[in-house]
Amino acid sequence: MAVTFLLAAVTIPALAACGTDSGPPRAVAAPTAPAPEPGPFGPRTLASQPRDLSSKPMAVGAGVVLTLPDDRTALIAYDPATGAQRWRSPARSWYAEQAWPAGSDFIVSWTNVTPDGSDRSVVGNFVARLNGRTGKPVWATRVTETVSRTGDIRFHPMAGAVLVSGAASHGWLAALDLESGRMRWARDGYLRTDDDFGSGDFGGTYALLYVPSDSYTDAGRLIRVDPRKGTVRWTVALGKAYGTTVYSVRRHVVVSRRGSDGDGTVLFLDGATGKRVARVPGEVRAEDDNIVVVASEKGVAAYDQTGHKRWESAGTVIAEKQQGVSDGRTVYLLTGGEDEGALSLVALDARSGKKVAYLARQTPEELLGTVNGFLVAENPYGDDGLIFPGEESRA
């Protein structure tokens, strides 16, 4: 069962008098610059040969690719354009399997060592905020005093907080202040806040939790909470499914679910009330602040926050269980199947759905995100990754 955790130019006519005509002034459109695009951007044309990172990428952001080397002695930030090392964290990170960008910094985890590397005898799990430019800890908070297995500690920054959950002998959830790392509130229970669970802050006013109620099927409750105090604002009961992922698109909640027959359903909920506003068949494969990209038997289609279809790319078949990424300008998806070997990489314009790049049988990797005009992919079965630069950036 796929688990996910915690929980998105105006032209003004100018009147110009004509010096030679005797008639009345004409309305002339004033030249305007293109509307600013959301960023960061991926390449609009992809180089046919990606560069091997020889290291496991964990997150993209702050202008760098954050990686975990084979020896797992430290987290290393690389410049995606040159491959030059920007910084190396001082602490050992044997169990650092997650990292999330938070503004210009990163939220990461460590086990059995303080994140600044000053004390290697401390037992427990830490969540820390690293400066994205230097790698030095801004703060570090020990969330457990015993060692948890890899994957038992999950976390995600949102709405001015870092929501951390544990699923060892008993479930728990804690909210850390994003700026200081101080504990805001905590509660017991198996509240999902994993990186697999899409999340959103909806303007900094609330976050989302998912509470499973059936260990055999993915039935449970979706809860809106105030991330500052942990108070519940609304609860929506979800029926049985076999995989649930939640995303945010502006001020709406998008729930992607898979039934026992393998068919998917996407629900669009009003973020303020939890009421359903639309329902479409398929599964969400990519999303940004404006659209969700849904894959179905017919192909892929993009919907806005209320479930209104923006565009459709019929015949584009997304590889099974493969998630894509969208940076607000370009949607990247992996197409093909196991019988075709390596998957193909397709890039679609996020506004129109028009194909802007395509690389046939290119990669078996999973797409991680874009940074400074580069697309980054990670190998789910190894400790390496790939960087896809734009065609124009090749030497």
PDB file of all heavy atoms in Angstrom, residues 110-115 119 121-128 139-147 153 164 172 174 176 181-183:
ATOM      1  N   TRP A 110      18.825  12.761  11.100  1.00  0.00           N
ATOM      2  CA  TRP A 110      20.021  12.009  11.451  1.00  0.00           C
ATOM      3  C   TRP A 110      19.674  11.028  12.560  1.00  0.00           C
ATOM      4  O   TRP A 110      18.696  11.212  13.269  1.00  0.00           O
ATOM      5  CB  TRP A 110      21.134  12.936  11.957  1.00  0.00           C
ATOM      6  CG  TRP A 110      22.099  13.376  10.914  1.00  0.00           C
ATOM      7  CD1 TRP A 110      23.189  12.704  10.454  1.00  0.00           C
ATOM      8  CD2 TRP A 110      22.056  14.613  10.201  1.00  0.00           C
ATOM      9  NE1 TRP A 110      23.831  13.453   9.506  1.00  0.00           N
ATOM     10  CE2 TRP A 110      23.158  14.629   9.327  1.00  0.00           C
ATOM     11  CE3 TRP A 110      21.203  15.717  10.210  1.00  0.00           C
ATOM     12  CZ2 TRP A 110      23.433  15.685   8.481  1.00  0.00           C
ATOM     13  CZ3 TRP A 110      21.472  16.779   9.368  1.00  0.00           C
ATOM     14  CH2 TRP A 110      22.573  16.754   8.513  1.00  0.00           C
ATOM     15  N   THR A 111      20.528  10.029  12.728  1.00  0.00           N
ATOM     16  CA  THR A 111      20.375   9.070  13.817  1.00  0.00           C
ATOM     17  C   THR A 111      21.694   8.932  14.569  1.00  0.00           C
ATOM     18  O   THR A 111      22.754   8.814  13.948  1.00  0.00           O
ATOM     19  CB  THR A 111      19.947   7.696  13.274  1.00  0.00           C
ATOM     20  OG1 THR A 111      18.677   7.829  12.635  1.00  0.00           O
ATOM     21  CG2 THR A 111      19.838   6.676  14.393  1.00  0.00           C
ATOM     22  N   ASN A 112      21.607   8.966  15.881  1.00  0.00           N
ATOM     23  CA  ASN A 112      22.742   8.690  16.771  1.00  0.00           C
ATOM     24  C   ASN A 112      23.902   9.681  16.648  1.00  0.00           C
ATOM     25  O   ASN A 112      25.045   9.316  16.913  1.00  0.00           O
ATOM     26  CB  ASN A 112      23.270   7.270  16.550  1.00  0.00           C
ATOM     27  CG  ASN A 112      22.356   6.240  17.176  1.00  0.00           C
ATOM     28  OD1 ASN A 112      21.355   6.582  17.790  1.00  0.00           O
ATOM     29  ND2 ASN A 112      22.687   4.980  17.008  1.00  0.00           N
ATOM     30  N   VAL A 113      23.646  10.897  16.257  1.00  0.00           N
ATOM     31  CA  VAL A 113      24.685  11.919  16.242  1.00  0.00           C
ATOM     32  C   VAL A 113      24.019  13.272  16.113  1.00  0.00           C
ATOM     33  O   VAL A 113      23.026  13.420  15.407  1.00  0.00           O
ATOM     34  CB  VAL A 113      25.688  11.700  15.089  1.00  0.00           C
ATOM     35  CG1 VAL A 113      25.000  11.755  13.748  1.00  0.00           C
ATOM     36  CG2 VAL A 113      26.812  12.718  15.133  1.00  0.00           C
ATOM     37  N   THR A 114      24.536  14.260  16.822  1.00  0.00           N
ATOM     38  CA  THR A 114      23.994  15.605  16.658  1.00  0.00           C
ATOM     39  C   THR A 114      24.318  16.095  15.252  1.00  0.00           C
ATOM     40  O   THR A 114      25.399  15.816  14.726  1.00  0.00           O
ATOM     41  CB  THR A 114      24.588  16.565  17.693  1.00  0.00           C
ATOM     42  OG1 THR A 114      26.013  16.518  17.606  1.00  0.00           O
ATOM     43  CG2 THR A 114      24.160  16.182  19.103  1.00  0.00           C
ATOM     44  N   PRO A 115      23.401  16.828  14.600  1.00  0.00           N
ATOM     45  CA  PRO A 115      23.620  17.228  13.211  1.00  0.00           C
ATOM     46  C   PRO A 115      24.843  18.083  12.960  1.00  0.00           C
ATOM     47  O   PRO A 115      25.308  18.165  11.834  1.00  0.00           O
ATOM     48  CB  PRO A 115      22.334  17.989  12.880  1.00  0.00           C
ATOM     49  CG  PRO A 115      21.315  17.382  13.771  1.00  0.00           C
ATOM     50  CD  PRO A 115      22.047  17.103  15.047  1.00  0.00           C
ATOM     51  N   ASP A 119      28.781  15.543  18.688  1.00  0.00           N
ATOM     52  CA  ASP A 119      28.639  14.462  19.661  1.00  0.00           C
ATOM     53  C   ASP A 119      28.117  13.227  18.956  1.00  0.00           C
ATOM     54  O   ASP A 119      26.962  13.186  18.518  1.00  0.00           O
ATOM     55  CB  ASP A 119      27.693  14.885  20.786  1.00  0.00           C
ATOM     56  CG  ASP A 119      27.692  13.901  21.950  1.00  0.00           C
ATOM     57  OD1 ASP A 119      28.189  12.762  21.766  1.00  0.00           O
ATOM     58  OD2 ASP A 119      27.191  14.266  23.020  1.00  0.00           O
ATOM     59  N   SER A 121      27.918  10.240  20.375  1.00  0.00           N
ATOM     60  CA  SER A 121      27.471   9.259  21.357  1.00  0.00           C
ATOM     61  C   SER A 121      25.996   9.425  21.710  1.00  0.00           C
ATOM     62  O   SER A 121      25.465   8.655  22.503  1.00  0.00           O
ATOM     63  CB  SER A 121      28.313   9.379  22.637  1.00  0.00           C
ATOM     64  OG  SER A 121      28.104  10.645  23.251  1.00  0.00           O
ATOM     65  N   VAL A 122      25.346  10.420  21.145  1.00  0.00           N
ATOM     66  CA  VAL A 122      23.950  10.688  21.463  1.00  0.00           C
ATOM     67  C   VAL A 122      23.062   9.647  20.792  1.00  0.00           C
ATOM     68  O   VAL A 122      23.173   9.400  19.588  1.00  0.00           O
ATOM     69  CB  VAL A 122      23.543  12.105  21.003  1.00  0.00           C
ATOM     70  CG1 VAL A 122      22.068  12.343  21.296  1.00  0.00           C
ATOM     71  CG2 VAL A 122      24.395  13.148  21.692  1.00  0.00           C
ATOM     72  N   VAL A 123      22.176   9.028  21.563  1.00  0.00           N
ATOM     73  CA  VAL A 123      21.272   8.012  21.029  1.00  0.00           C
ATOM     74  C   VAL A 123      19.919   8.656  20.744  1.00  0.00           C
ATOM     75  O   VAL A 123      19.354   9.344  21.596  1.00  0.00           O
ATOM     76  CB  VAL A 123      21.094   6.848  22.017  1.00  0.00           C
ATOM     77  CG1 VAL A 123      20.095   5.832  21.471  1.00  0.00           C
ATOM     78  CG2 VAL A 123      22.439   6.199  22.287  1.00  0.00           C
ATOM     79  N   GLY A 124      19.399   8.413  19.541  1.00  0.00           N
ATOM     80  CA  GLY A 124      18.092   8.928  19.195  1.00  0.00           C
ATOM     81  C   GLY A 124      18.044   9.454  17.778  1.00  0.00           C
ATOM     82  O   GLY A 124      19.014   9.357  17.019  1.00  0.00           O
ATOM     83  N   ASN A 125      16.893   9.982  17.413  1.00  0.00           N
ATOM     84  CA  ASN A 125      16.663  10.537  16.078  1.00  0.00           C
ATOM     85  C   ASN A 125      16.557  12.054  16.148  1.00  0.00           C
ATOM     86  O   ASN A 125      15.883  12.593  17.026  1.00  0.00           O
ATOM     87  CB  ASN A 125      15.375   9.966  15.473  1.00  0.00           C
ATOM     88  CG  ASN A 125      15.461   8.473  15.238  1.00  0.00           C
ATOM     89  OD1 ASN A 125      15.041   7.685  16.080  1.00  0.00           O
ATOM     90  ND2 ASN A 125      16.000   8.086  14.107  1.00  0.00           N
ATOM     91  N   PHE A 126      17.212  12.718  15.206  1.00  0.00           N
ATOM     92  CA  PHE A 126      17.182  14.167  15.121  1.00  0.00           C
ATOM     93  C   PHE A 126      16.498  14.607  13.833  1.00  0.00           C
ATOM     94  O   PHE A 126      16.598  13.946  12.797  1.00  0.00           O
ATOM     95  CB  PHE A 126      18.597  14.747  15.116  1.00  0.00           C
ATOM     96  CG  PHE A 126      19.279  14.744  16.444  1.00  0.00           C
ATOM     97  CD1 PHE A 126      19.949  13.623  16.893  1.00  0.00           C
ATOM     98  CD2 PHE A 126      19.259  15.870  17.252  1.00  0.00           C
ATOM     99  CE1 PHE A 126      20.583  13.610  18.116  1.00  0.00           C
ATOM    100  CE2 PHE A 126      19.893  15.876  18.477  1.00  0.00           C
ATOM    101  CZ  PHE A 126      20.556  14.738  18.916  1.00  0.00           C
ATOM    102  N   VAL A 127      15.805  15.738  13.884  1.00  0.00           N
ATOM    103  CA  VAL A 127      15.354  16.462  12.703  1.00  0.00           C
ATOM    104  C   VAL A 127      16.040  17.820  12.762  1.00  0.00           C
ATOM    105  O   VAL A 127      16.084  18.459  13.815  1.00  0.00           O
ATOM    106  CB  VAL A 127      13.826  16.626  12.670  1.00  0.00           C
ATOM    107  CG1 VAL A 127      13.406  17.555  11.518  1.00  0.00           C
ATOM    108  CG2 VAL A 127      13.154  15.271  12.505  1.00  0.00           C
ATOM    109  N   ALA A 128      16.620  18.244  11.655  1.00  0.00           N
ATOM    110  CA  ALA A 128      17.407  19.469  11.660  1.00  0.00           C
ATOM    111  C   ALA A 128      17.110  20.311  10.423  1.00  0.00           C
ATOM    112  O   ALA A 128      16.691  19.799   9.386  1.00  0.00           O
ATOM    113  CB  ALA A 128      18.901  19.145  11.711  1.00  0.00           C
ATOM    114  N   TRP A 139      19.055  24.814  13.250  1.00  0.00           N
ATOM    115  CA  TRP A 139      18.613  24.242  14.505  1.00  0.00           C
ATOM    116  C   TRP A 139      18.555  22.728  14.366  1.00  0.00           C
ATOM    117  O   TRP A 139      18.556  22.199  13.254  1.00  0.00           O
ATOM    118  CB  TRP A 139      17.258  24.792  14.957  1.00  0.00           C
ATOM    119  CG  TRP A 139      16.130  24.723  13.952  1.00  0.00           C
ATOM    120  CD1 TRP A 139      15.645  25.742  13.195  1.00  0.00           C
ATOM    121  CD2 TRP A 139      15.334  23.559  13.614  1.00  0.00           C
ATOM    122  NE1 TRP A 139      14.603  25.297  12.390  1.00  0.00           N
ATOM    123  CE2 TRP A 139      14.386  23.971  12.645  1.00  0.00           C
ATOM    124  CE3 TRP A 139      15.330  22.242  14.044  1.00  0.00           C
ATOM    125  CZ2 TRP A 139      13.462  23.106  12.075  1.00  0.00           C
ATOM    126  CZ3 TRP A 139      14.396  21.354  13.491  1.00  0.00           C
ATOM    127  CH2 TRP A 139      13.483  21.803  12.516  1.00  0.00           C
ATOM    128  N   ALA A 140      18.522  22.037  15.481  1.00  0.00           N
ATOM    129  CA  ALA A 140      18.413  20.583  15.505  1.00  0.00           C
ATOM    130  C   ALA A 140      17.600  20.180  16.723  1.00  0.00           C
ATOM    131  O   ALA A 140      17.853  20.658  17.829  1.00  0.00           O
ATOM    132  CB  ALA A 140      19.788  19.930  15.544  1.00  0.00           C
ATOM    133  N   THR A 141      16.629  19.303  16.513  1.00  0.00           N
ATOM    134  CA  THR A 141      15.760  18.858  17.599  1.00  0.00           C
ATOM    135  C   THR A 141      15.757  17.337  17.663  1.00  0.00           C
ATOM    136  O   THR A 141      15.519  16.672  16.657  1.00  0.00           O
ATOM    137  CB  THR A 141      14.321  19.365  17.384  1.00  0.00           C
ATOM    138  OG1 THR A 141      14.319  20.789  17.322  1.00  0.00           O
ATOM    139  CG2 THR A 141      13.405  18.905  18.513  1.00  0.00           C
ATOM    140  N   ARG A 142      16.019  16.793  18.848  1.00  0.00           N
ATOM    141  CA  ARG A 142      15.945  15.336  19.015  1.00  0.00           C
ATOM    142  C   ARG A 142      14.491  14.952  19.234  1.00  0.00           C
ATOM    143  O   ARG A 142      13.861  15.387  20.196  1.00  0.00           O
ATOM    144  CB  ARG A 142      16.805  14.876  20.182  1.00  0.00           C
ATOM    145  CG  ARG A 142      16.837  13.355  20.314  1.00  0.00           C
ATOM    146  CD  ARG A 142      18.008  12.848  21.125  1.00  0.00           C
ATOM    147  NE  ARG A 142      17.984  13.327  22.502  1.00  0.00           N
ATOM    148  CZ  ARG A 142      18.710  12.781  23.470  1.00  0.00           C
ATOM    149  NH1 ARG A 142      19.514  11.756  23.207  1.00  0.00           N
ATOM    150  NH2 ARG A 142      18.661  13.262  24.686  1.00  0.00           N
ATOM    151  N   VAL A 143      13.943  14.148  18.339  1.00  0.00           N
ATOM    152  CA  VAL A 143      12.524  13.796  18.397  1.00  0.00           C
ATOM    153  C   VAL A 143      12.292  12.467  19.098  1.00  0.00           C
ATOM    154  O   VAL A 143      11.176  12.174  19.518  1.00  0.00           O
ATOM    155  CB  VAL A 143      11.903  13.771  16.981  1.00  0.00           C
ATOM    156  CG1 VAL A 143      11.901  15.165  16.388  1.00  0.00           C
ATOM    157  CG2 VAL A 143      12.632  12.798  16.061  1.00  0.00           C
ATOM    158  N   THR A 144      13.322  11.620  19.204  1.00  0.00           N
ATOM    159  CA  THR A 144      13.219  10.390  19.989  1.00  0.00           C
ATOM    160  C   THR A 144      14.528  10.186  20.742  1.00  0.00           C
ATOM    161  O   THR A 144      15.588  10.636  20.306  1.00  0.00           O
ATOM    162  CB  THR A 144      12.953   9.140  19.123  1.00  0.00           C
ATOM    163  OG1 THR A 144      14.131   8.838  18.361  1.00  0.00           O
ATOM    164  CG2 THR A 144      11.782   9.361  18.187  1.00  0.00           C
ATOM    165  N   GLU A 145      14.451   9.486  21.863  1.00  0.00           N
ATOM    166  CA  GLU A 145      15.649   9.174  22.641  1.00  0.00           C
ATOM    167  C   GLU A 145      16.075   7.727  22.466  1.00  0.00           C
ATOM    168  O   GLU A 145      16.966   7.243  23.157  1.00  0.00           O
ATOM    169  CB  GLU A 145      15.405   9.483  24.122  1.00  0.00           C
ATOM    170  CG  GLU A 145      15.163  10.969  24.378  1.00  0.00           C
ATOM    171  CD  GLU A 145      14.993  11.278  25.846  1.00  0.00           C
ATOM    172  OE1 GLU A 145      15.011  10.322  26.660  1.00  0.00           O
ATOM    173  OE2 GLU A 145      14.845  12.464  26.190  1.00  0.00           O
ATOM    174  N   THR A 146      15.417   7.036  21.556  1.00  0.00           N
ATOM    175  CA  THR A 146      15.807   5.678  21.190  1.00  0.00           C
ATOM    176  C   THR A 146      15.954   5.621  19.678  1.00  0.00           C
ATOM    177  O   THR A 146      15.416   6.462  18.946  1.00  0.00           O
ATOM    178  CB  THR A 146      14.740   4.652  21.633  1.00  0.00           C
ATOM    179  OG1 THR A 146      13.475   4.999  21.037  1.00  0.00           O
ATOM    180  CG2 THR A 146      14.609   4.636  23.149  1.00  0.00           C
ATOM    181  N   VAL A 147      16.653   4.628  19.186  1.00  0.00           N
ATOM    182  CA  VAL A 147      16.893   4.503  17.755  1.00  0.00           C
ATOM    183  C   VAL A 147      15.687   3.855  17.090  1.00  0.00           C
ATOM    184  O   VAL A 147      15.212   2.807  17.531  1.00  0.00           O
ATOM    185  CB  VAL A 147      18.154   3.658  17.484  1.00  0.00           C
ATOM    186  CG1 VAL A 147      18.370   3.526  15.981  1.00  0.00           C
ATOM    187  CG2 VAL A 147      19.352   4.292  18.145  1.00  0.00           C
ATOM    188  N   ILE A 153      10.758   7.142  11.090  1.00  0.00           N
ATOM    189  CA  ILE A 153      10.622   8.571  11.328  1.00  0.00           C
ATOM    190  C   ILE A 153      10.365   9.270  10.003  1.00  0.00           C
ATOM    191  O   ILE A 153      11.161   9.168   9.069  1.00  0.00           O
ATOM    192  CB  ILE A 153      11.893   9.149  11.985  1.00  0.00           C
ATOM    193  CG1 ILE A 153      12.176   8.433  13.302  1.00  0.00           C
ATOM    194  CG2 ILE A 153      11.746  10.648  12.206  1.00  0.00           C
ATOM    195  CD1 ILE A 153      11.094   8.612  14.335  1.00  0.00           C
ATOM    196  N   VAL A 164       6.399  15.888  12.141  1.00  0.00           N
ATOM    197  CA  VAL A 164       7.213  14.683  12.256  1.00  0.00           C
ATOM    198  C   VAL A 164       6.350  13.571  12.831  1.00  0.00           C
ATOM    199  O   VAL A 164       5.610  13.780  13.797  1.00  0.00           O
ATOM    200  CB  VAL A 164       8.421  14.925  13.188  1.00  0.00           C
ATOM    201  CG1 VAL A 164       9.353  13.717  13.168  1.00  0.00           C
ATOM    202  CG2 VAL A 164       9.172  16.187  12.783  1.00  0.00           C
ATOM    203  N   TRP A 172       2.944   8.321  16.742  1.00  0.00           N
ATOM    204  CA  TRP A 172       2.924   9.644  17.352  1.00  0.00           C
ATOM    205  C   TRP A 172       3.151  10.697  16.273  1.00  0.00           C
ATOM    206  O   TRP A 172       3.607  10.397  15.173  1.00  0.00           O
ATOM    207  CB  TRP A 172       4.003   9.766  18.433  1.00  0.00           C
ATOM    208  CG  TRP A 172       5.397   9.452  17.952  1.00  0.00           C
ATOM    209  CD1 TRP A 172       6.014   8.231  17.950  1.00  0.00           C
ATOM    210  CD2 TRP A 172       6.332  10.369  17.368  1.00  0.00           C
ATOM    211  NE1 TRP A 172       7.267   8.315  17.420  1.00  0.00           N
ATOM    212  CE2 TRP A 172       7.504   9.620  17.058  1.00  0.00           C
ATOM    213  CE3 TRP A 172       6.306  11.730  17.081  1.00  0.00           C
ATOM    214  CZ2 TRP A 172       8.629  10.201  16.463  1.00  0.00           C
ATOM    215  CZ3 TRP A 172       7.426  12.309  16.496  1.00  0.00           C
ATOM    216  CH2 TRP A 172       8.574  11.553  16.199  1.00  0.00           C
ATOM    217  N   ALA A 174       4.367  15.024  15.987  1.00  0.00           N
ATOM    218  CA  ALA A 174       4.827  16.244  16.641  1.00  0.00           C
ATOM    219  C   ALA A 174       4.993  17.341  15.597  1.00  0.00           C
ATOM    220  O   ALA A 174       5.332  17.058  14.448  1.00  0.00           O
ATOM    221  CB  ALA A 174       6.142  16.008  17.371  1.00  0.00           C
ATOM    222  N   LEU A 176       7.111  20.795  14.874  1.00  0.00           N
ATOM    223  CA  LEU A 176       8.233  21.645  15.250  1.00  0.00           C
ATOM    224  C   LEU A 176       8.097  22.987  14.538  1.00  0.00           C
ATOM    225  O   LEU A 176       7.678  23.043  13.384  1.00  0.00           O
ATOM    226  CB  LEU A 176       9.568  20.994  14.862  1.00  0.00           C
ATOM    227  CG  LEU A 176       9.811  19.546  15.299  1.00  0.00           C
ATOM    228  CD1 LEU A 176      11.182  19.089  14.833  1.00  0.00           C
ATOM    229  CD2 LEU A 176       9.669  19.400  16.792  1.00  0.00           C
ATOM    230  N   GLY A 181      12.737  25.352  15.515  1.00  0.00           N
ATOM    231  CA  GLY A 181      12.843  23.933  15.832  1.00  0.00           C
ATOM    232  C   GLY A 181      12.179  23.538  17.127  1.00  0.00           C
ATOM    233  O   GLY A 181      12.185  22.360  17.497  1.00  0.00           O
ATOM    234  N   ARG A 182      11.601  24.503  17.858  1.00  0.00           N
ATOM    235  CA  ARG A 182      10.947  24.189  19.129  1.00  0.00           C
ATOM    236  C   ARG A 182       9.667  23.386  18.911  1.00  0.00           C
ATOM    237  O   ARG A 182       8.964  23.559  17.920  1.00  0.00           O
ATOM    238  CB  ARG A 182      10.612  25.473  19.891  1.00  0.00           C
ATOM    239  CG  ARG A 182      11.825  26.256  20.368  1.00  0.00           C
ATOM    240  CD  ARG A 182      11.402  27.365  21.299  1.00  0.00           C
ATOM    241  NE  ARG A 182      12.550  28.143  21.768  1.00  0.00           N
ATOM    242  CZ  ARG A 182      12.971  29.261  21.199  1.00  0.00           C
ATOM    243  NH1 ARG A 182      12.328  29.732  20.140  1.00  0.00           N
ATOM    244  NH2 ARG A 182      14.015  29.902  21.672  1.00  0.00           N
ATOM    245  N   MET A 183       9.357  22.510  19.869  1.00  0.00           N
ATOM    246  CA  MET A 183       8.146  21.700  19.801  1.00  0.00           C
ATOM    247  C   MET A 183       6.921  22.577  20.001  1.00  0.00           C
ATOM    248  O   MET A 183       6.826  23.319  20.972  1.00  0.00           O
ATOM    249  CB  MET A 183       8.181  20.619  20.875  1.00  0.00           C
ATOM    250  CG  MET A 183       7.053  19.615  20.801  1.00  0.00           C
ATOM    251  SD  MET A 183       7.344  18.344  19.556  1.00  0.00           S
ATOM    252  CE  MET A 183       8.692  17.433  20.322  1.00  0.00           C
TER     253      MET A 183
END
